[in-house]
Amino acid sequence: MYLTFYGLKEKPFNATPDPRFLYLTPGHREALAQLLYSVQENRGFLVLTGEVGTGKTTLLQAFLQRLNGRAAVAYVFDSTLPFEGLLEYVLEELGVATPERSPAQRLLALQRFMLDRRRAGQSTVLILDEAQNLDTTTLERIRTLSNFETPTEKLLQILLVGQPELRAKLNRPELRQLQQRIELQCSIPPLSPEQIRHYIQTRLQVAGAPDLELFSHRAQTRIAAYSGGIPRRVNILCDHCLVVGYADQQRRIDVDIVDQAIAALGGAARRPARWPASLARATWGRWLLGAVAAAVLAGRDLVLR
């Protein structure tokens, strides 16, 4: 809707975890480098945490892209599965043939697969997303998968990804054996206001924006305050700003447009005393088109009768 108006080639603030749009803060860069190094060195358990919407999934997509075929990867995003269901999912992801067999035979099939991959020069990586939802029994059984090893190295790298509650769960006494096997813990912090400005401009640049100053400095400051440093909230708000700006035929997004977008999202912000005339016209126009369409359909129904 607004792409042509703003000269964009694609939507810059989609919620999908497209690694092309990854903005690497020092925290993101360090986490990505450590994950890649850990897989290269065949370490055991890795933990990545961050608040909801901080870009963990986008970082994971960039991580998988940078592996560049050096690892066989099973990515599990359903943390409600019991261990046996999780193991079945992993084997399916890795392409391991699994006819109806006992749990022990499935584990042996996984071990054979990992040994074959290692002989071919590949690692095997298991990524468990939303891991804070895994119960302690399942986590303990996942720990036993790290027992797959040769005399010199681990056959499976296990990456637990989740919200900060994951760290608290891993510190429970009943999971002390798992805690001792964690070789790397890294976290993604929220963005600072200055980083949010760079984040907005980076996404605009990737989307082909001719003007990287599309959002004014005051608008970016308001967006940073509303978002609390969470990229997902930045994306949602900025996309709404572009919709409002297009409806208002404003080539530049200023703070008043941000306020209108926040109000539309139901957020706590200063609401304008009255809607700008152009936005009111746009809203009235949308209502009028709907009414006309309804009348036309009603008339068609009468003719058909």
Side-chain angles (χ1 to χ4, degrees), residues 10-238:
E10 57 185 309
K11 294 182 71 173
F13 300 105
N14 264 338
T16 54
D18 189 338
R20 294 180 302 125
F21 287 90
L22 178 64
Y23 171 65
L24 287 172
T25 67
H28 286 78
R29 189 175 290 108
E30 180 181 353
L32 183 57
Q34 290 193 28
L35 292 177
L36 290 169
Y37 176 78
S38 296
V39 170
Q40 179 183 343
E41 296 298 314
N42 299 314
R43 292 187 173 183
F45 271 94
L46 320 171
V47 175
L48 172 66
T49 56
E51 287 289 351
V52 177
T54 49
K56 297 186 295 297
T57 305
T58 305
L59 183 70
L60 286 176
Q61 292 300 322
F63 166 65
L64 294 174
Q65 194 176 67
R66 283 164 172 76
L67 285 177
N68 195 26
R70 288 176 292 170
V73 180
Y75 191 151
V76 181
F77 56 86
D78 186 352
S79 55
T80 64
L81 290 172
F83 179 78
E84 294 304 331
L86 188 148
L87 180 59
E88 184 179 351
Y89 189 101
V90 169
L91 292 171
E92 184 70 25
E93 276 275 282
L94 295 174
V96 180
T98 55
E100 289 300 324
R101 297 176 177 178
S102 69
Q105 289 174 316
R106 287 180 174 177
L107 289 172
L108 286 170
L110 176 59
Q111 183 182 40
R112 285 193 294 269
F113 172 86
M114 293 188 294
L115 285 169
D116 288 344
R117 290 298 87 211
R118 184 53 47 85
R119 294 188 191 102
Q122 274 191 326
S123 300
T124 305
V125 179
L126 169 58
I127 300 175
L128 296 167
D129 209 350
E130 301 294 342
Q132 76 279 351
N133 297 325
L134 294 168
D135 59 49
T136 54
T137 301
T138 302
L139 281 168
E140 178 58 20
R141 296 197 66 185
I142 290 168
R143 176 191 65 80
T144 63
L145 295 178
S146 66
N147 292 330
F148 288 123
E149 58 190 1
T150 69
T152 58
E153 58 189 357
K154 295 289 186 182
L155 290 176
L156 180 65
Q157 282 72 59
I158 303 173
L159 174 54
L160 301 176
V161 183
Q163 297 165 26
E165 303 92 282
L166 174 60
R167 292 200 178 201
K169 179 171 285 189
L170 293 174
N171 284 326
R172 292 181 181 177
E174 59 267 35
L175 290 174
R176 62 186 180 279
Q177 292 189 71
L178 173 56
Q179 178 66 30
Q180 291 174 4
R181 297 196 183 193
I182 294 173
E183 299 195 36
L184 169 69
Q185 294 197 50
C186 49
S187 61
I188 302 177
L191 304 180
S192 69
E194 186 61 28
Q195 288 171 341
I196 286 177
R197 294 189 180 94
H198 293 153
Y199 175 85
I200 292 172
Q201 292 180 353
T202 296
R203 295 190 74 98
L204 287 172
Q205 184 177 35
V206 174
D211 180 14
L212 298 185
E213 300 298 328
L214 176 58
F215 290 79
S216 72
H217 185 84
R218 289 183 65 213
Q220 293 176 41
T221 300
R222 184 62 57 86
I223 291 167
Y226 171 84
S227 70
I230 304 300
R232 183 180 297 165
R233 299 189 74 190
V234 174
N235 290 347
I236 293 171
L237 178 55
C238 285

